Each structure stands twice: as structure tokens, then as C-alpha cells.
Amino acid sequence: MSRSALPLNAIYAFLVTARHLNLTRAASELCITQGAVSRKIATLESWLGFALFTRHARGLHLTEQGAALLPELQQGFAMLVNATEKASRSNAAIRLKAPTCAMRWLVPRLVALEQQRPDIHVALTTTLDHGSQLDNFDAAIVFGPTPAGSICLFEERLTPVMASSVTPPSQIDELAKFTFLHPTQDSRDWQLWLAGLDAALPMARNQHFATMDLAISAAIQGFGVTVADVTLVQNDVLNGRLIAPFAASVATGASYSLLQRAEKDAPPFLPELVAWLSEV
């Protein structure tokens, strides 16, 4: 065998076998047969020019030369694994999950981050699920009560908004002439805002949506008036797409929070992403 052809598979088989000192257990971990393990060990022994194990009734023993070689091979293989894992992680995208209702707030921040830090790659997955679980993601924005150990990005506060092309009402009771756009399949968000102002309104015309983002989009197109989180519509108001006719906003008790993977399991740049999103 050419000395240039380092048998890496055989070295790994040796390391596993040396740990177990048992061909059956080594074969099980390597997912190959005992015979295949023996052949790999024989290949390495041939390459080295000396025996690595001696057989005994109770299993395998390392030879003197095998025992001397083992620590250096373990260290070298660990360095190889660490180097490849580091290189792999450096090119890996940060897996971020977020509810669709947060897109109006989140997407502009991700675009700005990409412009300033093109070396940070974020793979965004949207969901209708508001559950406070990371699942297989590196970070997740969740909506609802602030989970323990999470970062509160902002608390939800509701206020009515409508298209800037619409003549805004000057009094709350004037809202009754509009079509009410509901961010959910019920009217709880509107009722929460009205209760916060100790007001009541007849709602003759109603449209219900699956998410707040859809209700906001409908309001921008002039379909009616919706209640929306003041932070989510901040850019739309500043850019003149929406107007908020009343200064009053009502806290719902819910918040948008950020969960992140533990530091030891986190990909590179996750702390930078977390810091960027936390600067509300």
C-alpha cells in the first residue's frame, strides 16, 4: 500500500475498537460486520507495519505499540472532526422561525442586517403556530405570554388603523360607518380595544382574517379599519400607508418574544442576530 494513502476509515475503526476492546460492540457502533471491522484493523496494521491488538479469551488487548499510538490518533482525529465541524458551521444559516403576524416588523430588520452583515445568513421559516418551542430551529419569535428564559422584543398594544386615503373619524363612534377588519376569526381584539376605552360600537359590516398581517394589508388597500399592534404598523404609519386616527392604544398582555438555542449548541453569529433583533 502506498504510504500516501492514509487509511482514515481504518483509523476510525481502530479508535472505536480500542474504546470497546470488543469486536461485537465496535461492529455495532460502526454499523458493519465483525469481519469488516477485523479487515479494517488489518489494513491499518499492514499500513503501520505492526500489530495493534492481541486476542484473548475475554476480548482484545492493545499491544504496546497500539497503546502508544492510541492517544495521538485520538487527538489527531478530534482535531480533524473539530476543524470540519467549524468549517461547516461557519457556512450554515441561522434557522429562524417566526409567526406570519410578525413579518411586517421582522423582514425590514433582516434586510437591514443582510446589508450590513452579508456574512450572516438567516433561513426564515414562517408559521401560524404561536407555540413557544424552538423545535429544530436556532431561534424563534413567539407570540403570547413571555416564556421563561426568552427575550421580550415588544409588548402588543392595539390601536385602530386605516388607509391614509380614507378620511379619518374624529370620534370613536364614527368608526361604526366603516367595515371592521378582524385579525382573528372572532372580534376579541376589537372588543379588547373598545373595553380599554370603556366604549361600545355596533359592528354592522365585518371581515375576518387568519392573521393580523392579512388584516393590516386589507386596511392598507382601503377595505376598512382594523386594530393592529402599534409596533407592527409603525413603518406603515411613518411611510404614509396607514393612519392611526386615535392616540389611545390598549395592551393585550401578550408579547413578541425571542427564544434562542443554548450557547453550546448555537451556530456562529446567533448572538449577533439576537442583539440586532433586540434593538427595537
Side-chain angles (χ1 to χ4, degrees):
M1 179 179 294
S2 169
R3 298 298 293 179
S4 63
L6 183 64
L8 292 176
N9 286 336
I11 291 175
Y12 183 59
F14 165 64
L15 295 176
V16 172
T17 305
R19 186 169 68 252
H20 293 294
L21 291 177
N22 182 287
L23 286 175
T24 300
R25 289 196 291 270
S28 177
E29 179 174 334
L30 293 167
C31 298
I32 57 178
T33 65
Q34 292 184 46
V37 175
S38 296
R39 287 191 291 274
K40 288 181 182 296
I41 298 299
T43 296
L44 182 57
E45 289 176 331
S46 175
W47 195 90
L48 292 168
F50 55 81
L52 296 169
F53 296 101
T54 57
R55 291 179 179 269
H56 294 267
R58 295 185 177 180
L60 302 175
H61 287 180
L62 284 163
T63 64
E64 183 177 346
Q65 289 172 300
L69 179 64
L70 179 61
E72 294 189 37
L73 286 184
Q74 288 173 326
Q75 182 180 10
F77 206 84
M79 292 176 62
L80 180 63
V81 170
N82 289 338
T84 53
E85 287 183 348
K86 182 178 179 181
S88 176
R89 288 196 303 268
S90 66
N91 290 321
I94 300 171
R95 299 164 298 173
L96 173 64
K97 178 180 70 170
T100 55
C101 55
M103 290 302 103
R104 308 188 85 83
W105 176 87
L106 177 61
V107 170
R109 282 162 174 76
L110 293 182
V111 171
L113 175 62
E114 183 178 356
Q115 291 172 346
Q116 291 199 23
R117 292 291 303 276
D119 53 327
I120 299 179
H121 307 288
V122 179
L124 175 63
T125 298
T126 60
T127 177
L128 294 176
D129 179 21
H130 293 166
S132 57
Q133 300 293 331
L134 272 178
D135 299 322
N136 294 321
F137 294 89
D138 302 308
I141 295 175
V142 297
F143 173 74
T146 303
S150 67
I151 298 171
C152 180
L153 298 174
F154 57 92
E155 296 179 348
E156 184 181 51
R157 297 191 65 88
L158 299 179
T159 195
V161 291
M162 58 185 63
S164 56
S165 59
V166 177
T167 301
S170 58
Q171 302 292 331
I172 291 177
D173 57 5
E174 294 178 16
L175 286 170
K177 66 182 180 182
F178 293 93
T179 297
F180 288 87
L181 309 176
H182 299 274
T184 60
Q185 293 303 311
D186 55 27
S187 61
R188 65 179 184 269
D189 285 348
W190 266 112
Q191 296 297 347
L192 185 63
W193 184 79
L194 290 169
L197 274 67
D198 196 23
L201 282 176
M203 297 184 181
R205 296 183 302 276
N206 300 274
Q207 291 289 340
H208 296 267
F209 296 88
T211 68
M212 183 173 288
D213 187 62
L214 291 174
I216 293 170
S217 295
I220 289 174
Q221 296 177 62
F223 290 167
V225 57
T226 187
V227 281
D229 176 75
V230 294
T231 302
L232 293 183
V233 297
Q234 185 177 46
N235 285 338
D236 293 306
V237 172
L238 290 174
N239 294 329
R241 290 187 290 269
L242 288 172
I243 55 174
F246 306 108
S249 64
V250 174
T252 66
S255 64
Y256 289 85
S257 305
L258 182 64
L259 297 170
Q260 59 180 307
R261 193 164 296 284
E263 182 179 357
K264 63 182 180 64
D265 300 319
F269 304 124
L270 179 59
E272 286 87 341
L273 173 64
V274 170
W276 182 269
L277 295 180
S278 300
E279 295 176 0
V280 179

